[in-house]
Amino acid sequence: MKAARLHEYGDDRLHLEEVPDPTIQGPHDVIVRIGGAGVCRTDLHVMEGIWRGIQDPRLPYTLGHENAGWVEEVGPSVTTLRSGDAVIVHPLMTDGVCPACRRGEDMHCEHGEFPGLNVDGGFAQYLRTVERSTLKLEEGLAPKDVAAYADAGLTAYRAVKKATALLPPGARCAVIGIGGLGHIGVQSLRAMSGAEIIAVDVSDEALQLATRMGADSVVKAGEDAVEHVRELTGGRGVEAVLDFVGEQGTTVQGPAMLAVGGTYFVVGYGGRVDLSAIEIISREISVVGSLVGSFTELSELMALAAQGKVKLETREYRLEDVNAALADLRDGRLHGRGVLVPA
Amino acid sequence: MKAARLHEYGDDRLHLEEVPDPTIQGPHDVIVRIGGAGVCRTDLHVMEGIWRGIQDPRLPYTLGHENAGWVEEVGPSVTTLRSGDAVIVHPLMTDGVCPACRRGEDMHCEHGEFPGLNVDGGFAQYLRTVERSTLKLEEGLAPKDVAAYADAGLTAYRAVKKATALLPPGARCAVIGIGGLGHIGVQSLRAMSGAEIIAVDVSDEALQLATRMGADSVVKAGEDAVEHVRELTGGRGVEAVLDFVGEQGTTVQGPAMLAVGGTYFVVGYGGRVDLSAIEIISREISVVGSLVGSFTELSELMALAAQGKVKLETREYRLEDVNAALADLRDGRLHGRGVLVPA
Amino acid sequence: MKAARLHEYGDDRLHLEEVPDPTIQGPHDVIVRIGGAGVCRTDLHVMEGIWRGIQDPRLPYTLGHENAGWVEEVGPSVTTLRSGDAVIVHPLMTDGVCPACRRGEDMHCEHGEFPGLNVDGGFAQYLRTVERSTLKLEEGLAPKDVAAYADAGLTAYRAVKKATALLPPGARCAVIGIGGLGHIGVQSLRAMSGAEIIAVDVSDEALQLATRMGADSVVKAGEDAVEHVRELTGGRGVEAVLDFVGEQGTTVQGPAMLAVGGTYFVVGYGGRVDLSAIEIISREISVVGSLVGSFTELSELMALAAQGKVKLETREYRLEDVNAALADLRDGRLHGRGVLVPA
Amino acid sequence: MKAARLHEYGDDRLHLEEVPDPTIQGPHDVIVRIGGAGVCRTDLHVMEGIWRGIQDPRLPYTLGHENAGWVEEVGPSVTTLRSGDAVIVHPLMTDGVCPACRRGEDMHCEHGEFPGLNVDGGFAQYLRTVERSTLKLEEGLAPKDVAAYADAGLTAYRAVKKATALLPPGARCAVIGIGGLGHIGVQSLRAMSGAEIIAVDVSDEALQLATRMGADSVVKAGEDAVEHVRELTGGRGVEAVLDFVGEQGTTVQGPAMLAVGGTYFVVGYGGRVDLSAIEIISREISVVGSLVGSFTELSELMALAAQGKVKLETREYRLEDVNAALADLRDGRLHGRGVLVPA
């Protein structure tokens, strides 16, 4: 099959080449014929070698960690899927027997493999995954339209779900960064909460998108963003901040936007969260990390998608044009999520 | 002032008569000039004498437990309100010092008085209440338009809020009875949850209302309602049932609609919930009562109202026409909530 | 191997006979050499044919659903266990791929098999189960000493865990029935909650046991039990009732013991819960079913056991003496839990 | 009456002088005859002027924010207390009408006054407070024995209560700092949770105290404390850290002790919490502040005290010896909590 593979860290291009098709190796394996694979900023970081300290696959290998398609073949113990099923692939291959999997927190699986990060991913015609990571799509959802939910969408959704428990009607939530994750975040929040949504972004275009997606008010990012958020809340601040950026000052501004008792959700990364203990205590604030999401959460997000309550902004590329897609993303020409579609 | 008062149980009319204006008696008292007072089925039950065993005020007294208006006068210790403020009145006068009030569960106040049920209520020009029970309205909300939230709306909201914790996207909730409470229930659920809403009612008109308010599907009440709900859920049943009727068979059908692990919320009353312990256990279901709501919940509901996410269907009557309003309600001619407005 | 099998419903004896050893059938199968198998009242009910409507295995089959022992052999995909490991067996064989398993609620597994109820159980030398149902014991725990935690203990623990969320210090919990489940319930409650525990039982011996296990006060079951519980709580009633009996009037008395806002947990069965909707609402009470428990909960309970915070009262029988054990249980001669130990 | 007052920031002594008795000023006021007033490190910080930026009372004023005693006189609207009642005083005078008070989070009261910090406190014979801040003691609790629960104890309790929700049996909690707060923390944790407790302190004496109070294991604070905690947990780390120190490196070590998904509770202060966003996310950890506690939480803690499940280590001083007590605390001669007792 065709696959887009990384041969050397530092390369700014993947090699499109012919490799053997993946095969069933374990009783619960599933081979998925790729219908769409999302292109993510993490792919650029992997190519730059930034992830090497955390994930160190033997090169060359195939990138692509946001995958959807159709079941091609299943292992002998698979009972819930059959050939031809349209599916989305949870990003982690989980074992189902570690304590985390048993609790339903499969993102913390102790023996998980991560296709596209530490084993071959979905920038290819076929992908090997396992039954526990394969979610059947409801009628009406096409793989290429939902692929980017597998990681970006799921990450936004999990953070939002944590936040909604703190956001009764009358409460306020600031959403920082209305990009690939943030635009799903705003829609998920709108679908699951009566709270007021304040979108914060540097881009006017992004803020307009936020308004279309259900934000109640918008704040242009910048030095006075904290002050503006406080003005919009009668001086009190917001009960929750969802930070989808996590750098360029948002980790300072985010906590400063909080009301007494509020919670700052860290989703984006790059910066540092640096607070004095006295501030954490005297305002009784919390800082909560959020990491991708569970299979159950992916199925909840797909329910929202099937009901039309969240929609992805995507741009389609042929698998052959993977390097054009990566370049568009790198150079800021890609609005919405890029999705690679094999011929 | 003018007040509509009950002189004898069994009377089907209230007496519109001149009585002394209420006066400030305690340091935290508030006198409210009534802008609207909701007419409720409970008023009919009080007149019939049904409530006498639970609440036994000295007759004659003034009915009316869903009140809104403007602050007329405040006691010397009142700090959060002033004359002229538009307000809605929480139905219970609470003491703020019992354990329940301190926990924020003021509906369980150990020393609460209930205007319209055990002391003079709001079918009058003025009402005496206390600071702890008086909620300032946001700009744009008129007392007569929101009065019926004070009891009917709040009761629906609290039950919905309890249910939303069990209703992630992909889950299903059956709402039984789309009347005064149920139509607020559907809207609140839509505003606060991504779950699928199945409305159940005997009336086609009510089901159409449910659809306009955001229900995803409707089921005509009747012998096969349980079966229809099961069909709509692929045979599984629903994660939650909100029963705003509580009689005429709904207390049997409601629990039968539940999926394994589901919860049946009892809001309406009149019937009995009668289940074998083995059924409760083997399907691991729960039955949860819900009673009116707290002041905090009323403020949350008013936030939804101010944002236009819930709307009341009301019909206005002059205070003088109280008996016409009661007769319309008694005889089924009153669609939406009747509201009495003093001249 | 030797196994104690039921040949015909209505027999009051099992047949001890030679049957083929169980063998690995699927990649995740585990063969356990039985070290102890708990004898449970449910075994008597199965023999009487009472369960036939719910579970209908082909006769003859082997009873025994509370099993512990040592791993004898594992299937080719098993990664977390090896031959010789001391283990306790979760009562349900779960698939790990249905929505309930993925959420961590494996007791609601859609394709679960229940050894001892619908397939061959552990009144034998060997048992076939699966990796997902096999929990390694910590050092110092012997299979025959913990076997009865697998069902009775787990059932008590799950109900207690649900209750503790409602039981801050100063709250009160009535525990009805201090037998096989109840004596674990009291200990678990003591270990996990600062609430006051009121034990209720007909037997003075059981009440003495309750006191040793940590109950703060005891109430003799009978007509005036509700009144006594109310007296012990200053007239208010208790925040939670754990009913391990579920018949003989406890389903009437349990809810009557509740304070406003309280919750009645149904664990035992046989009776009916029959409440008027007005009572459920006006006192805002809840009725919550509890069914066995999850694998995660079993591991939590085993942590309590390893720390010595809960202890089982057991009596050991040889497997050959199964019918003596059943007779002792049937005739009320068995105090504590009977455990069958193969030679 | 006699009162110990601060005349000038920087003084290392309070002036014991004669001042007018406090008098009833509002309808809900309560005058408490002091039975005991805890001496706290915060008193030293106030005297040094450190708190001046946050609380700026007009000097001279009376210190003392951990107060208990007997009701001397009540305002005309007080209904729940009468002269002679033994009471403990919640540290904040709350209004009962702001949103935080209504939710039961009275520590966030928008108009709270804090005796001993911004108005006259309890290093005196009498104290003025309000009904909402006055909790009747159960029989058998003496004011001087419980005074230090009012702030130190309550602060420890609230943090522990938040943590217990994350600590099922089998989980692990590290408690850093076994001093005035920490020794209550360990006891509260033991009373309310089946989790394993690992105490961390620089002092062997403190670690011995921790063991007596119920800690399962102890770790000497120092450079290798993180490594030792990890060893005790099989390399995984702990589900929760309660940091009662908050400086001297604990804000670095605390988060490093966490398992994936764990939570670091900040109670002590002085240092900074400085974490990269990628660490927060990739290990999905949380940082949660905790501030004193609510009146409801104080009543829960007093229930534990009445049941003997928590005990304070105290040392009694006469009010006249306030400067000796302060000096003993300053110079490290005071083990346990100092309590001033007026003659």
Side-chain angles (χ1 to χ4, degrees), chain B residues 229-270:
Chain B
V229 167
R230 293 211 160 262
E231 276 166 19
L232 284 168
T233 57
R236 297 189 176 215
V238 294
E239 280 74 9
V241 171
L242 285 158
D243 186 350
F244 291 113
V245 175
E247 56 183 345
Q248 297 161 343
T250 67
T251 54
V252 175
Q253 289 194 329
M257 291 173 184
L258 293 176
V260 168
T263 300
Y264 170 63
F265 292 92
V266 187
V267 191
Y269 56 90

Side-chain angles (χ1 to χ4, degrees), chain B residues 26-28 77 79-80 94-99 101-106 111 131-134 295-296, chain D residues 26-28 77 79-80 94-99 101-106 111 131-134 295-296:
Chain B
H28 288 285
S77 296
T79 57
T80 60
T94 61
D95 68 6
V97 292
C98 71
C101 280
R102 289 173 181 286
R103 279 196 312 268
E105 287 291 344
D106 34 289
H111 307 98
E131 184 177 21
R132 275 185 54 85
S133 305
T134 312
F295 184 93
T296 295
Chain D
H28 288 284
S77 296
T79 57
T80 59
T94 61
D95 68 6
V97 293
C98 71
C101 280
R102 288 174 182 286
R103 279 195 311 269
E105 287 290 343
D106 35 290
H111 307 99
E131 184 178 21
R132 275 185 52 86
S133 304
T134 312
F295 184 95
T296 294

Side-chain angles (χ1 to χ4, degrees), chain A residues 217-274:
Chain A
S217 50
V218 299
V219 166
K220 185 89 176 216
E223 276 180 23
D224 50 5
V226 174
E227 198 184 326
H228 283 176
V229 167
R230 293 211 160 263
E231 275 166 18
L232 284 168
T233 57
R236 298 188 175 215
V238 295
E239 281 74 8
V241 171
L242 286 159
D243 187 350
F244 292 113
V245 175
E247 55 184 344
Q248 298 161 340
T250 66
T251 55
V252 175
Q253 291 195 327
M257 291 173 184
L258 293 176
V260 168
T263 301
Y264 171 63
F265 292 91
V266 187
V267 191
Y269 57 89
R272 297 189 75 81
V273 179
D274 180 7

Side-chain angles (χ1 to χ4, degrees), chain D:
Chain D
M1 66 171 183
K2 280 197 184 118
R5 290 161 73 84
L6 176 67
H7 279 247
E8 206 172 338
Y9 292 117
D11 268 8
D12 64 354
R13 297 177 60 84
L14 300 180
H15 291 242
L16 197 76
E17 54 199 354
E18 201 64 30
V19 296
D21 287 5
T23 55
I24 297 291
Q25 294 171 26
H28 288 284
D29 276 6
V30 174
I31 305 297
V32 173
R33 178 161 61 87
I34 294 294
V39 178
C40 175
R41 197 159 292 274
T42 294
D43 296 315
L44 300 178
H45 293 325
V46 167
M47 293 167 70
E48 293 158 5
I50 288 175
W51 276 77
R52 208 176 169 180
I54 304 175
Q55 306 282 6
D56 197 14
R58 186 187 305 189
L59 303 189
Y61 89 113
T62 308
L63 269 66
H65 56 274
E66 295 192 329
N67 305 306
W70 298 269
V71 172
E72 180 73 16
E73 193 187 347
V74 299
S77 296
V78 171
T79 57
T80 59
L81 297 162
R82 54 183 173 183
S83 183
D85 285 343
V87 296
I88 185 167
V89 183
H90 186 270
L92 200 64
M93 294 162 71
T94 61
D95 68 6
V97 293
C98 71
C101 280
R102 288 174 182 286
R103 279 195 311 269
E105 287 290 343
D106 35 290
M107 261 320 292
H108 295 159
C109 176
E110 293 177 10
H111 307 99
E113 288 185 301
F114 211 129
L117 283 180
N118 58 18
V119 296
D120 284 335
F123 288 176
Q125 289 179 283
Y126 297 98
L127 171 80
R128 185 180 72 85
T129 183
V130 291
E131 184 178 21
R132 275 185 52 86
S133 304
T134 312
L135 176 64
K136 219 188 282 195
L137 293 176
E138 289 191 47
E139 287 288 322
L141 293 179
K144 70 184 169 62
D145 295 336
V146 301
Y149 286 123
D151 183 53
L154 179 56
T155 301
Y157 176 81
R158 178 176 175 85
V160 165
K161 193 181 178 192
K162 288 185 180 188
T164 50
L166 310 173
L167 291 170
R172 268 82 58 127
C173 182
V175 179
I176 303 178
I178 312 301
L181 277 76
H183 87 290
I184 301 298
V186 170
Q187 294 176 78
S188 300
L189 206 48
R190 184 71 305 141
M192 297 160 70
S193 157
E196 198 181 313
I197 302 172
I198 303 171
V200 184
D201 202 293
V202 287
S203 143
D204 287 330
E205 199 179 6
L207 292 177
Q208 285 158 20
L209 175 63
T211 301
R212 286 201 306 277
M213 298 295 170
D216 296 284
S217 49
V218 298
V219 165
K220 185 92 177 217
E223 277 179 24
D224 50 5
V226 174
E227 197 185 325
H228 282 176
V229 168
R230 292 211 162 264
E231 275 166 20
L232 285 169
T233 58
R236 300 189 175 215
V238 295
E239 281 73 10
V241 171
L242 285 158
D243 187 351
F244 292 113
V245 175
E247 55 184 346
Q248 298 161 341
T250 67
T251 54
V252 175
Q253 289 194 328
M257 291 172 184
L258 293 176
V260 168
T263 301
Y264 171 61
F265 292 91
V266 187
V267 191
Y269 57 89
R272 297 189 75 81
V273 179
D274 180 7
L275 295 163
S276 69
I278 183 75
E279 183 178 356
I280 294 171
I281 289 162
S282 61
R283 300 173 54 216
E284 205 170 28
I285 59 176
S286 298
V287 177
V288 173
S290 193
L291 176 67
V292 198
S294 67
F295 184 95
T296 294
E297 288 165 340
L298 181 58
S299 70
E300 292 168 1
L301 175 58
M302 296 316 291
L304 288 182
Q307 294 162 16
K309 289 175 189 160
V310 297
K311 276 173 196 157
L312 274 172
E313 307 261 305
T314 59
R315 175 163 160 202
E316 214 172 306
Y317 293 83
R318 295 184 312 155
L319 173 56
E320 287 77 4
D321 299 329
V322 56
N323 288 309
L326 290 165
D328 286 349
L329 177 62
R330 192 182 289 118
D331 301 342
R333 286 188 301 269
L334 181 47
H335 301 299
R337 200 78 176 174
V339 176
L340 302 181
V341 180

Side-chain angles (χ1 to χ4, degrees), chain B residues 41 327-335:
Chain B
R41 196 160 294 275
D328 286 350
L329 176 62
R330 191 183 289 117
D331 301 342
R333 285 187 303 268
L334 180 48
H335 301 298

Side-chain angles (χ1 to χ4, degrees), chain A residues 130-142:
Chain A
V130 292
E131 183 177 22
R132 275 185 53 86
S133 304
T134 312
L135 175 64
K136 221 188 283 196
L137 293 176
E138 289 190 46
E139 287 287 322
L141 293 179

Side-chain angles (χ1 to χ4, degrees), chain B residues 135-332:
Chain B
L135 175 65
K136 221 189 280 195
L137 293 176
E138 289 190 46
E139 288 286 323
L141 292 179
K144 71 184 169 60
D145 295 336
V146 300
Y149 285 123
D151 184 52
L154 179 56
T155 300
Y157 176 80
R158 177 175 174 87
V160 165
K161 193 181 178 192
K162 289 185 180 187
T164 51
L166 311 173
L167 292 169
R172 269 81 59 125
C173 182
V175 180
I176 304 179
I178 313 300
L181 276 75
H183 86 292
I184 301 299
V186 169
Q187 293 176 80
S188 300
L189 205 48
R190 184 72 305 142
M192 297 162 69
S193 156
E196 198 181 314
I197 302 171
I198 303 171
V200 183
D201 201 294
V202 287
S203 143
D204 287 330
E205 200 179 5
L207 293 177
Q208 286 159 22
L209 175 63
T211 301
R212 286 200 307 277
M213 297 296 170
D216 296 285
S217 51
V218 298
V219 166
K220 185 90 176 217
E223 276 180 25
D224 50 6
V226 174
E227 196 184 328
H228 283 175
V229 167
R230 293 211 160 262
E231 276 166 19
L232 284 168
T233 57
R236 297 189 176 215
V238 294
E239 280 74 9
V241 171
L242 285 158
D243 186 350
F244 291 113
V245 175
E247 56 183 345
Q248 297 161 343
T250 67
T251 54
V252 175
Q253 289 194 329
M257 291 173 184
L258 293 176
V260 168
T263 300
Y264 170 63
F265 292 92
V266 187
V267 191
Y269 56 90
R272 296 189 76 80
V273 178
D274 180 8
L275 295 162
S276 68
I278 183 76
E279 183 178 357
I280 293 171
I281 289 162
S282 61
R283 299 174 55 215
E284 205 171 25
I285 59 175
S286 297
V287 176
V288 173
S290 194
L291 176 68
V292 197
S294 67
F295 184 93
T296 295
E297 288 165 341
L298 182 59
S299 69
E300 292 169 2
L301 175 58
M302 296 316 291
L304 288 182
Q307 295 163 15
K309 287 174 189 160
V310 297
K311 276 171 196 160
L312 274 172
E313 307 260 306
T314 59
R315 177 164 158 199
E316 213 172 306
Y317 293 83
R318 295 185 312 156
L319 172 57
E320 288 77 3
D321 298 329
V322 56
N323 288 308
L326 290 166
D328 286 350
L329 176 62
R330 191 183 289 117
D331 301 342

